[in-house]
C-alpha cells in the first residue's frame, strides 16, 4: 500500500484500465494505421522492461547517463548498417522522439548549412518536395521559416518525376525531400534519379523513410536503390516506432558527413546555468523509448526483422489482391512496402463504383479501422482522388482472412452509393450557421474560439448546444460515419478547416466542468 497518498495504486490503475478499454484496439490488427503490431507479446514486454529500467534517466546528458550514449550508438549503428550506410563511418546519426522531429531536424540542418555559405543573405530558402511529402515538412517550413515548394505528382499513380523536381531547382533551394515510400499512396519516389540531379548542383537531399525505412530494409523483393547507398542522399529518417515495433517516441535521423550533421545541434553558454548542447528539439528527455527501441533491435536482429517484414509483405500482397478483385475499387499506383491506398475505380459504370470513404465507414461499423484521406487539388490544377489508406503490420497476417471478408462485405454494402456531396453539405449546414454562407466564407484563421466552437456544434462535431451549456467542453468521440467529415475537409476553405480542427482537438482535452 502506498502510504499517505490520496488514492490507492490499484484503484488508480483500474481507472486507467477502464479508460484504455475505450481506446481503439492497439493490438490484434483491427486498426490499420497509427499502430504497428509485431504480434509478439514478449517483444512488447521486453520493451516495457527496458523502458522501466531507464525510467529515472535524463536523456539530455549522455556524459552523465552513459547508458544513453551506449544505446544511442547501438541504435544508430544498426540503422546505418541496414539503411545503406554500412560502408560509411562518415554517416552520423541521432535518435529523436519520432518521425516529425527527425524531419524537422533534417530541415533545420539543411537551412543552417545553406545559410552558412551565404552569410547575411536576406533570401528565404526553399524546400522542394512532391505534394505527397509528409505534413511534417509543412510544419518544418512553418517553424523554421522556409518556403515549401510542392511539386505535383501524377494524379493516377501518386508518383513524382525527377524532371518535375529538377525544373524547380535553384540557388535558393536548401533541401530536396523525397519519400521512401510516401505515406498517402506508398509511392517510392525516384531516389537515385533525384539524387544525381541534386548532387550535381550541390543541394542537400533528404529521404523520408519514416514509415517504410525499417520495412524496406528487410523487404523480400528487389527494390530500386532508395537509401543511403545512393551517394547523393545527404540525410534519411526512419521511425523505430513504426516498423521497428517500438513503443511511440523513437526515430532515427542519419546524416552523411559529420560536418553536415553538426548543423543539427543547438549549443549555448550564454546564460548563467549549465552549458546547453542539444542535438534534438527537446531538452530533458526520456530514455525509455530509446531503451525500448534498442532492446527490440537486440532481440530481433536481422533475422527477426526479416521474418516480421515477410509477414507484413505477405499480408499486404493478399489484401492488395482482395481489393483489386473488388468491383468498383482500385489500388492507387504501384505501392511499395507494407501500405497502400484505395480509390474508386472510375472505369466501371457509376452504379458499380465504390466510394472509398463509404467503404471505410462500412468497414469501421464492422470493427476494422481504415484511414480516410481527403482529395487534394494540386498547384497545376489536377486533383488527387480521395482515398482510403491501409497500413499493414506483421499481425495483420493472422487476421487476413477475416479482414478480407470484411473488406468485400463493406464494398457490397455501399456499392453504387455516390460520394458525399461536400458542396451540398456545406450549403445545408450554412442554413444553420448564424450569418449563413457569407459567415462561413468569411470565417478563417481569424475566427475566435467561441465562433469556431459554434460552427463545430452546427456541424454536429462538438457536444453541447450553447456556450453556457453545462456539457460544454466535451467534444466526445468521433461520429459514426467519417465520410461527411472528410467531405467538409475537402469542401471548406483549408484555412477554415484547419482552424476548426484546431478548435476540435483543443476542446477534446479541455477539463470537463466539475459538476460536484
Ligand atoms: C509517420 C511519418 C512521419 C512523421 O512521423 P511521426 O512519428 O508521426 O511524427 C513522417 N514521414 C512519413 C512518411 C511518415 O509516415
Amino acid at each position: 500500500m502506498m502510504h499517505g497518498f490520496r488514492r490507492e495504486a490499484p484503484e488508480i490503475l483500474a481507472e486507467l484500465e477502464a479508460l484504455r478499454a475505450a481506446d481503439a484496439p492497439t493490438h490484434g490488427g483491427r486498426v490499420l494505421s497509427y499502430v504497428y503490431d509485431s504480434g509478439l507479446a514478449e517483444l512488447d514486454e521486453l520493451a516495457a522492461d527496458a523502458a522501466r529500467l531507464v525510467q529515472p534517466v535524463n536523456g539530455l546528458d549522455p556524459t552523465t547517463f552513459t547508458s544513453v550514449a551506449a544505446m544511442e550508438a547501438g541504435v544508430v549503428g544498426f540503422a546505418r548498417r541496414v539503411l545503406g550506410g554500412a560502408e560509411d563511418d562518415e554517416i552520423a546519426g541521432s535518435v529523436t522522439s519520432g518521425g516529425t522531429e527527425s524531419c524537422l531536424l533534417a530541415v533545420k540542418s539543411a537551412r543552417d548549412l545553406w545559410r552558412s555559405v551565404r552569410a547575411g543573405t536576406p533570401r528565404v530558402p526553399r524546400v522542394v518536395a512532391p505534394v505527397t511529402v509528409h505534413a511534417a515538412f509543412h510544419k518544418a517550413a512553418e517553424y523554421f521559416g522556409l518556403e515549401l515548394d510542392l511539386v505535383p505528382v501524377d494524379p493516377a499513380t501518386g508518383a513524382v518525376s525527377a524532371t518535375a523536381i529538377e525544373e524547380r531547382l535553384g540557388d535558393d533551394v536548401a533541401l530536396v525531400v523525397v519519400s521512401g515510400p510516401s505515406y498517402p499512396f506508398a509511392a517510392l519516389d525516384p531516389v537515385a534519379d533525384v539524387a544525381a540531379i541534386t548532387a550535381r548542383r550541390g543541394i542537400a537531399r533528404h529521404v523520408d523513410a519514416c514509415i517504410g525505412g525499417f520495412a524496406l530494409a528487410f523487404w523480400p523483393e528487389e527494390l530500386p536503390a532508395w537509401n543511403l547507398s545512393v551517394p547523393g542522399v545527404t540525410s534519411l529518417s526512419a521511425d523505430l516506432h513504426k516498423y521497428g515495433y517500438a513503443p511511440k517516441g523513437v526515430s532515427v535521423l542519419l546524416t552523411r558527413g559529420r560536418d553536415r550533421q553538426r548543423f543539427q545541434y543547438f549549443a549555448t553558454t550564454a546564460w548563467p546555468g549549465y552549458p546547453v548542447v542539444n542535438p534534438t528539439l527537446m531538452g530533458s528527455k526520456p530514455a525509455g523509448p530509446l531503451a525500448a527501441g534498442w532492446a527490440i533491435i537486440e532481440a530481433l536482429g536481422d533475422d527477426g526483422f526479416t521474418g516480421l517484414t515477410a509477414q507484413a509483405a505477405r499480408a499486404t500482397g493478399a489484401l492488395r489482391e482482395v481489393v483489386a478483385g473488388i468491383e468498383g475499387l482500385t489500388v492507387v499506383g504501384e505501392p511499395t512496402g507494407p501500405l497502400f491506398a484505395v480509390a474508386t475505380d472510375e472505369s466501371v459504370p457509376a452504379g458499380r463504383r465504390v466510394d472509398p470513404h463509404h467503404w471505410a465507414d462500412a468497414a469501421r461499423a464492422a470493427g476494422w479501422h481504415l484511414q480516410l484521406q481527403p482529395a487534394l487539388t494540386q498547384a497545376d490544377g489536377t486533383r488527387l482522388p480521395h482515398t482510403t489508406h491501409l497500413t499493414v503490420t506483421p499481425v495483420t497476417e493472422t487476421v487476413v482472412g477475416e479482414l478480407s471478408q470484411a473488406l468485400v462485405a463493406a464494398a457490397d454494402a455501399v456499392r453504387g452509393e455516390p460520394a458525399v456531396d461536400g458542396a451540398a453539405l456545406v450549403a445545408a449546414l450554412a442554413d444553420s450557421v448564424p450569418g449563413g454562407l457569407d459567415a462561413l466564407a468569411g470565417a478563417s484563421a481569424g475566427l475566435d474560439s467561441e465562433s469556431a466552437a459554434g460552427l463545430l456544434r452546427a456541424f454536429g462535431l462538438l457536444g453541447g448546444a450553447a456556450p453556457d451549456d453545462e456539457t460544454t467542453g466535451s467534444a466526445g468521440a468521433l461520429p459514426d460515419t467519417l465520410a461527411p467529415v472528410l467531405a467538409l475537409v475537402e469542401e471548406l476553405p483549408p484555412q477554415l478547416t484547419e482552424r476548426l480542427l484546431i478548435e476540435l482537438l483543443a476542446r477534446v482535452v479541455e477539463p470537463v466542468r466539475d459538476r460536484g
Side-chain angles (χ1 to χ4, degrees):
M1 170 179 156
M2 293 195 291
H3 184 70
F5 289 119
R6 190 169 67 90
R7 292 173 72 190
E8 299 282 346
E11 185 194 320
I12 297 168
L13 294 176
E15 180 179 335
L16 181 52
E17 270 173 31
L19 290 170
R20 283 283 288 114
D23 284 340
T26 53
H27 288 83
R30 293 197 155 252
V31 178
L32 287 105
S33 61
Y34 299 129
V35 290
Y36 300 79
D37 186 0
S38 69
L40 304 172
E42 60 273 38
L43 211 57
D44 291 343
E45 287 301 319
L46 171 65
D49 289 345
R52 193 179 175 86
L53 266 177
V54 299
Q55 183 169 271
V57 164
N58 190 345
L60 169 69
D61 185 356
T63 65
T64 302
F65 303 103
T66 52
S67 64
V68 172
M71 289 187 294
E72 184 151 355
V75 168
V76 169
F78 169 79
R80 187 167 76 177
R81 179 171 61 78
V82 304
L83 296 169
E87 308 301 316
D88 193 347
D89 56 9
E90 277 292 309
I91 290 175
S94 291
V95 172
T96 73
S97 65
T100 297
E101 191 177 18
S102 293
C103 297
L104 288 174
L105 289 168
V107 172
K108 181 234 179 293
S109 302
R111 181 200 66 178
D112 290 355
L113 173 56
W114 182 89
R115 274 186 188 159
S116 76
V117 294
R118 292 168 185 79
T121 179
R123 282 195 301 171
V124 173
R126 236 176 341 127
V127 177
V128 172
V131 73
T132 48
V133 80
H134 194 277
F137 290 92
H138 294 237
K139 189 176 186 176
E142 185 174 310
Y143 276 18
F144 298 134
L146 295 91
E147 184 195 325
L148 181 61
D149 186 2
L150 294 170
V151 180
V153 299
D154 180 339
T157 63
V160 73
S161 80
T163 31
I165 288 180
E166 183 168 25
E167 281 163 13
R168 303 296 257 272
L169 299 185
D171 187 44
D172 60 335
V173 175
L175 184 67
V176 173
V177 184
V178 292
S179 307
S182 73
Y183 186 91
F185 308 123
L188 183 61
D189 290 333
V191 174
D193 291 349
V194 176
I197 294 163
T198 51
R200 217 161 41 234
R201 292 168 173 257
I203 297 174
R205 176 45 217 300
H206 183 78
V207 174
D208 179 10
C210 277
I211 194 160
F214 288 109
L216 297 196
F218 300 98
W219 198 247
E221 294 150 18
E222 189 89 34
L223 298 171
W226 63 275
N227 59 20
L228 285 161
S229 65
V230 177
V233 171
T234 52
S235 58
L236 181 147
S237 51
D239 293 351
L240 283 167
H241 66 201
K242 287 178 181 161
Y243 288 94
Y245 314 107
K248 289 296 176 257
V250 57
S251 166
V252 185
L253 173 61
L254 298 171
T255 304
R256 193 187 302 278
R258 290 193 179 86
D259 289 327
R260 180 185 299 278
Q261 197 248 3
R262 301 312 187 238
F263 285 99
Q264 185 186 310
Y265 280 70
F266 173 82
T268 187
T269 52
W271 75 309
Y274 56 91
V276 167
V277 190
N278 295 157
T280 61
L281 296 175
M282 284 191 275
S284 289
K285 60 184 177 185
L290 165 63
W294 171 81
I296 288 171
I297 288 169
E298 292 300 311
L300 286 178
D302 289 17
D303 290 349
F305 273 98
T306 301
L308 288 174
T309 305
Q311 270 177 259
R314 283 194 298 268
T316 306
L319 291 173
R320 277 175 57 176
E321 231 168 87
V322 166
V323 170
I326 294 177
E327 186 187 17
L329 286 176
T330 184
V331 173
V332 178
E334 287 164 32
T336 299
L339 55 151
F340 61 96
V342 179
T344 299
D345 182 357
E346 306 277 354
S347 74
V348 302
R352 304 301 302 164
R353 290 180 195 163
V354 174
D355 175 66
H357 289 180
H358 289 321
W359 179 59
D361 277 336
R364 196 157 79 102
W368 300 92
H369 299 246
L370 317 179
Q371 194 172 56
L372 293 78
Q373 303 186 129
L376 184 80
T377 302
Q378 308 192 89
D380 65 359
T382 60
R383 193 152 169 89
L384 302 176
H386 74 211
T387 57
T388 287
H389 175 107
L390 286 83
T391 292
V392 180
T393 64
V395 82
T396 313
E397 194 181 32
T398 63
V399 294
V400 85
E402 212 188 325
L403 173 55
S404 301
Q405 284 177 12
L407 296 182
V408 171
D412 289 343
V414 301
R415 185 168 291 108
E417 201 178 312
V420 175
D421 182 345
L425 195 62
V426 168
L429 286 168
D431 291 341
S432 61
V433 172
L437 262 182
D438 287 347
L440 261 188
S444 71
L447 217 55
D448 67 32
S449 168
E450 263 324 307
S451 310
L455 278 176
L456 286 168
R457 283 189 201 97
F459 294 170
L461 293 172
L462 189 63
D468 296 325
D469 191 291
E470 284 296 306
T471 59
T472 302
S474 94
L478 288 172
D480 286 339
T481 56
L482 293 174
V485 180
L486 270 284
L488 284 178
V489 169
E490 291 172 358
E491 189 63 27
L492 293 172
Q495 268 199 318
L496 175 58
T497 310
E498 287 157 7
R499 180 63 188 87
L500 294 180
L501 292 175
I502 287 170
E503 196 59 34
L504 184 67
L505 268 288
R507 289 189 182 240
V508 164
V509 299
E510 273 185 17
V512 181
R513 194 174 298 173
D514 193 347
R515 274 168 256 177

